[in-house]
């Protein structure tokens, strides 16, 4: 049994303890993915793109698949001809297939494989979505993976990477509270990741920090802002654009990179 399977099974047993938190996070997925996907959709009007998403955590999590999650947002925003999912854990891939069929998403292609050596031909994908997957790889494996991403993307293809932010003020508390030592975690600085992507040959289209909360009252605050947008609009600009996009206050950063 692999490390990710152990993590999933442990979380499955403690579902009630985390139900409220995960439901709130599911609602906040619109805040996390909606804007970024919208940028990609407006800049690159791809017709029926081939999309790959790394790992199947959202698809097998018993809370996430009951609400709106990444799978639906990919389909709604990009209208892909195919969506491929890849995960190294066989049990999770099998379970994800069952979940997606139950959700009537029966055209998904699920691959049991390693993102460090993607089982795909060169220039075969239009978009790759990496939501906090490669931040569980050490630097050597991270470099291997983003090199593989570059190889399998078509010219002009887009890599959307969400990554744990090393500069976040509570990053150690996050790792201790959420990962509990079960999954290795390697938060990085945004400039480090941007420079690696550029060295490989990517052009950086967009980057920002996002998701400014820990599992405390800030989570509820961000939830309220995401639902009641008029509240967000009346906040002073200095709070919206400095505080909410500060590297010290955000758990993640996102980068949109294009293969040149």
């Amino acid at each position: 049994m692999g490390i990710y399977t152990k993590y999933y099974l442990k979380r499955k047993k403690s579902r009630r303890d985390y139900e409220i938190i995960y439901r709130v996070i599911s609602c906040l997925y619109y805040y996390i993915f909606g804007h970024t996907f919208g940028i990609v959709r407006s800049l690159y009007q791809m017709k029926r793109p081939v999309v790959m998403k790394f790992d199947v955590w959202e698809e097998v999590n018993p809370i996430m698949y009951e609400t709106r999650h990444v799978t639906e947002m990919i389909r709604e925003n990009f209208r892909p001809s195919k969506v491929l999912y890849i995960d190294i854990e066989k049990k999770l891939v099998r379970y994800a297939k069952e979940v997606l069929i139950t959700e009537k998403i029966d055209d998904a292609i699920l691959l049991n494989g390693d993102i460090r050596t993607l089982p795909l031909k060169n220039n075969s994908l239009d978009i790759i979505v990496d939501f906090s997957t490669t931040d569980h790889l050490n630097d050597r494996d991270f470099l291997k993976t983003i090199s593989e991403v570059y190889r399998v993307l078509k010219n002009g293809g887009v890599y959307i990477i969400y990554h744990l932010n090393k500069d976040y003020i509570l990053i150690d508390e996050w790792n201790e509270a959420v990962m509990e030592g079960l999954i290795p975690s390697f938060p990085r600085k945004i400039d480090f990741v941007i420079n690696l992507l550029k060295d490989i040959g990517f052009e950086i289209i967009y980057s920002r920090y996002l998701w400014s909360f820990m599992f405390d009252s800030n989570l509820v605050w961000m939830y309220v802002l995401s639902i009641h947008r008029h509240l967000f609009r009346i906040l002073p600009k200095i709070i919206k654009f400095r505080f909410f996009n500060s590297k010290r206050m955000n758990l993640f950063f996102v980068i949109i990179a294009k293969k040149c």
Side-chain angles (χ1 to χ4, degrees):
M1 184 184 295
I3 192 168
Y4 290 95
T5 304
K6 290 179 182 177
Y7 175 78
Y8 165 68
L9 292 175
K10 183 181 179 73
R11 282 286 165 250
K12 189 174 181 181
K13 291 178 183 177
S14 59
R15 170 177 174 171
R16 290 182 180 177
D17 296 336
Y18 287 82
E19 184 167 357
I20 294 176
I21 291 174
Y22 280 136
R23 286 193 181 280
V24 172
I25 291 175
S26 293
C27 293
L28 285 169
Y29 269 28
Y30 282 105
Y31 158 71
I32 298 169
F33 296 102
H35 179 63
T36 308
F37 286 2
I39 291 173
V40 174
R41 188 178 65 246
S42 62
L43 290 178
Y44 308 101
Q45 297 179 1
M46 304 174 183
K47 293 184 178 179
R48 308 288 289 166
V50 180
V51 181
M52 168 171 272
K53 177 183 174 292
F54 286 169
D55 81 52
V56 294
W57 185 81
E58 286 83 17
E59 286 67 42
V60 300
N61 184 283
I63 304 301
M64 293 299 188
Y65 72 67
E66 291 178 1
T67 56
R68 305 290 291 234
H69 51 63
V70 188
T71 296
E72 292 185 10
M73 295 197 72
I74 288 173
R75 293 165 66 87
E76 290 173 3
N77 280 274
F78 302 130
R79 305 294 181 188
S81 59
K82 289 190 291 187
V83 183
L84 293 79
Y85 302 82
I86 185 167
D87 200 292
I88 199 168
E89 292 287 346
K90 289 183 180 179
K91 289 185 178 180
L92 294 188
V93 171
R94 285 199 300 268
Y95 187 56
K97 286 181 181 179
E98 296 174 8
V99 170
L100 292 174
I101 290 173
T102 301
E103 295 291 306
K104 297 182 180 180
I105 304 174
D106 52 8
D107 57 346
I109 301 170
L110 285 99
L111 305 174
N112 177 220
D114 191 332
I115 60 175
R116 295 168 293 188
T117 54
L118 290 167
L120 297 169
K121 295 180 180 179
N122 296 351
N123 308 308
S124 55
L125 299 175
D126 295 295
I127 300 171
I128 293 178
V129 178
D130 168 8
F131 178 43
S132 190
T133 301
T134 50
D135 50 23
H136 299 300
L137 301 175
N138 60 37
D139 285 350
R140 179 181 173 184
D141 289 337
F142 179 54
L143 181 57
K144 283 183 181 178
T145 301
I146 58 177
S147 298
E148 279 289 276
V149 168
Y150 191 85
R151 178 183 68 81
V152 301
L153 279 174
K154 299 175 184 176
N155 289 334
V158 176
Y159 179 36
I160 307 171
I161 173 173
Y162 296 84
H163 204 85
L164 284 171
N165 172 26
K166 189 174 183 178
D167 287 319
Y168 178 47
I169 194 170
L170 294 175
I171 193 64
D172 293 334
E173 288 80 357
W174 166 270
N175 285 334
E176 181 180 350
V178 180
M179 301 309 171
E180 297 180 352
L182 290 169
I183 300 179
S185 181
F186 299 91
R188 295 180 174 92
K189 293 178 179 287
I190 191 170
D191 290 341
F192 176 80
V193 177
I194 285 175
N195 288 332
L196 276 183
L197 292 168
K198 285 181 176 179
D199 289 344
I200 289 170
F202 282 103
E203 177 187 353
I204 305 304
I205 303 302
Y206 175 84
S207 65
R208 67 161 293 181
Y209 296 98
L210 78 167
W211 206 339
S212 50
F213 68 80
M214 180 57 180
F215 285 167
D216 58 15
S217 59
N218 282 331
L219 175 62
V220 178
W221 174 237
M222 288 301 296
Y223 173 66
V224 170
L225 288 179
S226 67
I227 300 303
H228 302 287
R229 295 183 180 180
H230 62 282
L231 293 178
F232 188 80
R233 283 197 290 268
I234 65 175
L235 288 175
K237 288 184 179 181
I238 191 170
I239 294 179
K240 289 190 288 190
F241 297 107
R242 293 188 183 179
F243 177 80
F244 284 112
N245 198 33
S246 163
K247 67 180 181 180
R248 297 290 287 165
M249 297 305 299
N250 284 268
L251 177 60
F252 288 103
F253 57 80
V254 59
I255 300 169
I256 301 174
K258 182 180 78 169
K259 179 178 178 178
C260 298

